[in-house]
C-alpha cells in the first residue's frame, strides 16, 4: 500500500512542479497524497530507525556493485520519507558508511524524502532497496525521480 501512495505522491508533486501555480502552495492532490502517507503509516519515524547502527555493523564492509540488467538512464531508489532533520542526518551517515550516495528533498507536509543512487543496474538498485529495508525504511522502491 505504501509503495502505491509514494508513487501517487511523487506523481502529484511532479505534476504540481510542472504547473504555473505558486510553488509555495500545495495543491489539493499533493496534500491528499501526503495525508494518505501519514495515515497509513508510510513515514519512517525515529523509532523505526532504532536498529540503524546494528544494521550498519551487520552489513559492513559493503561495496556497491553493478549486476544484472543495465539500466539506461540510471535510476534512483526512494528509500522513504523521514520525519525530521535528526533522522535525515542519521540515515545519511548510515548510507554513506555503506558506500551509497544519498540526497534528501523536502517532502511538503511530511519531512525529508531520501533518495539513493544513481544506479546503473537492476542488481545494484535491488541491493539498495534491501539495505534501506535493513535500516528500517518501510517501503523503498525504484523511483522515476532523476537522481
Amino acid at each position: 500500500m505504501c509503495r502505491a501512495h509514494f508513487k501517487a505522491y511523487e506523481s502529484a508533486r511532479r505534476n504540481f512542479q510542472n504547473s504555473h501555480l505558486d510553488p509555495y502552495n500545495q495543491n489539493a492532490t499533493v496534500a491528499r497524497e501526503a495525508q494518505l502517507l501519514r495515515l497509513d503509516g508510510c513515514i519512517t519515524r525515529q523509532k523505526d530507525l532504532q536498529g540503524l547502527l546494528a544494521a550498519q555493523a551487520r552489513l559492513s564492509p559493503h561495496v556497491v556493485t553493478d549486476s544484472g540488467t543495465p539500466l539506461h538512464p540510471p535510476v534512483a531508489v526512494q528509500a522513504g520519507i523521514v520525519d525530521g532533520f535528526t533522522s535525515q542526518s542519521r540515515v545519511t551517515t548510515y548510507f554513506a558508511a555503506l558506500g551509497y550516495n544519498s540526497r534528501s528533498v523536502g517532502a511538503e507536509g511530511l519531512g525529508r524524502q531520501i533518495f539513493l543512487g544513481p544506479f546503473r543496474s537492476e542488481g545494484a538498485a535491488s541491493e539498495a532497496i534491501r539495505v534501506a529495508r535493513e535500516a528500517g525504511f518501510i517501503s523503498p522502491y525504484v523511483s522515476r525521480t532523476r537522481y
Side-chain angles (χ1 to χ4, degrees):
M1 179 180 325
C2 288
R3 184 175 175 180
H5 289 327
F6 276 122
K7 287 189 173 198
Y9 176 79
E10 203 173 272
S11 176
R13 282 186 59 183
R14 191 172 36 255
N15 291 337
F16 181 63
Q17 288 170 347
N18 293 334
S19 75
H20 298 292
L21 300 174
D22 182 353
Y24 296 103
N25 292 320
Q26 290 186 20
N27 71 9
T29 303
V30 173
R32 183 177 59 251
E33 296 304 334
Q35 182 180 24
L36 290 172
L37 282 165
R38 281 190 305 274
L39 291 173
D40 287 340
C42 300
I43 308 303
T44 303
R45 308 277 182 209
Q46 285 193 27
K47 66 180 176 65
D48 299 317
L49 301 171
Q50 288 178 349
L52 205 58
L53 292 176
Q56 183 178 330
R58 257 191 330 276
L59 296 170
S60 293
H62 186 271
V63 178
V64 179
T65 56
D66 285 323
S67 64
T69 305
L71 298 172
H72 299 287
V75 299
V77 166
Q78 194 256 195
I81 296 177
V82 295
D83 60 356
F85 288 109
T86 300
S87 295
Q88 174 198 341
S89 177
R90 291 180 65 213
V91 299
T92 299
T93 300
Y94 166 81
F95 288 123
L98 296 174
Y100 288 98
N101 293 322
S102 67
R103 70 180 173 98
S104 72
V105 177
E108 299 159 51
L110 296 171
R112 305 292 299 172
Q113 194 168 18
I114 308 296
F115 291 94
L116 307 174
F119 298 103
R120 291 171 176 76
S121 71
E122 284 184 6
S126 294
E127 177 67 6
I129 288 170
R130 185 184 74 77
V131 168
R133 283 192 180 116
E134 289 273 336
F137 282 97
I138 296 161
S139 187
Y141 65 93
V142 172
S143 172
R144 289 184 54 200
T145 299
R146 290 201 160 202
Y147 191 81

